Amino acid sequence: MTNRSPRLSVIIPCFNVEGYIPETVASCVNNARDDFEFLFVEDRSTKDHTYEALLELTKRLPNSRVIRHERNGGLATARNTGIDAADGCYLTFLDGDDWLAPGYLADLVDRIERLDVDFVRTDHVQVTGVNRMVHRAPEGRRHTPLDPRTSILPVDDTTMVDYPYAWAGVYHRRLLDRGMLRFHDGLRTAEDRPWIWELHRRAESYAVASLRGVFYRRGVASSLTQIGDVRQLDFFRSFDLVLAELADDPEADRLRKKALRNYCVVIAHQLLQRDRFERNVAAELRRRAAEVLGRMTEEQLNEALLGMGEERVQVLRRIRGGMKGVAA
């Protein structure tokens, strides 16, 4: 790399992904440029030789570094380690079991430079086994600068805060200088939730680009979303952080309705999937869900659950008790 700062830093947390990392690194090789750097954060893998594989594979990837944690810290902390080490004008993320289309990173940088916004979000391709499906970012206005706040509401529709994937976009370093972009250390699931809410509340500009160069694997056995242990319950902390950080927002009353609906949707999803949890974790899930729902007023619950669907409303009604009159 030349002495000048890189244009783009790509931050790639890796944990127990030895079987996938060759494809991930190869896709980075196909995106390499003299002014791009690649930061692999090895989060002390426990079941395979991810670290050793990274050391060997990255020999053919220019401007790459492998940073190893002394102890496992989780995805949020691994991303923060990468952010702290990054020198780029722009930052983006990639998970260690996902991959990129050739030339995607150059297109990403081109979009944010031409639009001159704080951040750009993109579509992505979801990969489940041999099946691929395009997932579009929920904002319909494309390739034009927008006020991030205008993409939070309405409450009862899917919006950009319901599309929290950090790897589906690129972010200007000035966000970091303004106290944004870092994740809450220690969060092992739903780490993107408070992060995306802060961006849409506090950033000044953003845009959505119709790029589909990120390939996101679903159903990976080692993924935390497939594991029913206590780490899954970190979503409670994530949404509590969203609500706490909304307290001083000038539009707190309006935005809280959206955050509470998000919270209820995720609680219902986890309760409906509770059979995959260890027994003690399932019991803790029910207890904490009842506590969260119990803190909401009937009015707040009615607004949050309106139109959510009979199955989800019923499971939440059973956990809290009562909630008569809530429309499905």
Side-chain angles (χ1 to χ4, degrees):
M1 186 180 297
T2 63
N3 290 329
R4 62 189 176 92
S5 296
R7 203 73 189 138
L8 177 71
S9 297
V10 185
I11 296 163
I12 310 166
C14 301
F15 179 68
N16 292 343
V17 290
E18 182 183 7
Y20 303 104
I21 202 64
E23 189 169 10
T24 304
V25 175
S27 77
C28 292
V29 171
N30 290 331
N31 275 271
R33 218 168 72 174
D34 287 346
D35 55 348
F36 291 174
E37 67 171 357
F38 299 86
L39 305 170
F40 295 84
V41 182
E42 204 288 311
D43 196 23
R44 280 286 165 174
S45 296
T46 57
K47 296 181 179 179
D48 62 22
H49 298 92
T50 294
Y51 178 62
E52 291 78 8
L54 280 170
L55 291 179
E56 185 61 31
L57 291 165
T58 55
K59 289 178 181 178
R60 62 192 182 97
L61 177 60
N63 307 327
S64 63
R65 280 184 281 163
V66 179
I67 304 166
R68 194 180 200 193
H69 277 167
E70 292 186 3
R71 62 185 63 85
N72 177 261
L75 181 57
T77 299
R79 284 178 176 165
N80 285 341
T81 296
I83 290 170
D84 291 342
D87 292 320
C89 177
Y90 305 107
L91 289 80
T92 191
F93 303 93
L94 179 66
D95 286 353
D97 51 7
D98 298 337
W99 76 95
L100 305 171
Y104 168 72
L105 294 181
D107 290 339
L108 202 58
V109 170
D110 175 69
R111 294 302 192 279
I112 194 169
E113 288 183 332
R114 287 198 289 111
L115 292 164
D116 190 24
V117 289
D118 286 341
F119 63 101
V120 169
R121 303 299 312 287
T122 71
D123 305 327
H124 72 275
V125 181
Q126 180 177 298
V127 181
T128 307
V130 297
N131 297 317
R132 298 184 180 186
M133 179 181 295
V134 173
H135 280 245
R136 283 175 55 86
E139 177 56 67
R141 297 169 291 176
R142 299 285 170 124
H143 305 288
T144 187
L146 302 170
D147 178 350
R149 277 182 172 263
T150 66
S151 296
I152 297 176
L153 299 174
V155 172
D156 59 350
D157 199 3
T158 302
T159 69
M160 290 302 290
V161 293
D162 302 304
Y163 187 80
Y165 315 111
W167 36 258
V170 62
Y171 313 91
H172 199 292
R173 172 171 289 278
R174 62 184 175 235
L175 291 170
L176 190 58
D177 297 337
R178 296 177 197 155
M180 291 173 271
L181 216 57
R182 288 179 59 83
F183 296 82
H184 287 275
D185 273 318
L187 282 177
R188 295 173 182 271
T189 192
E191 67 288 326
D192 293 340
R193 295 289 183 160
W195 180 86
I196 197 66
W197 269 89
E198 182 179 51
L199 284 185
H200 276 276
R201 287 194 310 107
R202 295 184 55 205
E204 295 177 359
S205 62
Y206 96 112
V208 181
S210 298
L211 298 176
R212 298 169 181 178
V214 180
F215 291 79
Y216 165 56
R217 293 186 198 269
R218 287 294 303 270
V220 176
S222 61
S223 170
L224 188 54
T225 58
Q226 303 298 308
I227 299 171
D229 69 18
V230 70
R231 292 173 293 177
Q232 279 282 0
L233 302 189
D234 273 10
F235 81 86
F236 286 108
R237 182 185 165 209
S238 291
F239 280 101
D240 286 345
L241 284 165
V242 171
L243 292 169
E245 291 168 1
L246 274 175
D248 296 327
D249 192 280
E251 295 183 285
D253 290 342
R254 294 177 67 233
L255 299 183
R256 188 180 295 111
K257 295 175 184 179
K258 177 69 173 179
L260 289 175
R261 183 178 178 84
N262 287 169
Y263 209 165
C264 288
V265 166
V266 175
I267 290 173
H269 172 76
Q270 297 288 8
L271 288 170
L272 290 168
Q273 301 288 323
R274 62 187 177 276
D275 288 348
R276 66 193 172 90
F277 288 102
E278 300 161 3
R279 182 173 297 181
N280 64 318
V281 177
E284 180 68 4
L285 168 65
R286 291 192 295 270
R287 184 192 70 77
R288 293 179 68 175
E291 184 180 88
V292 169
L293 295 169
R295 291 199 300 262
M296 299 183 196
T297 66
E298 289 292 328
E299 181 181 2
Q300 287 174 330
L301 278 165
N302 284 337
E303 290 177 337
L305 303 185
L306 183 64
M308 192 177 287
E310 186 65 30
E311 185 179 33
R312 290 190 289 189
V313 169
Q314 284 186 355
V315 73
L316 294 171
R317 183 184 289 129
R318 285 197 300 269
I319 289 293
R320 183 177 185 263
M323 291 167 58
K324 294 180 179 179
V326 175

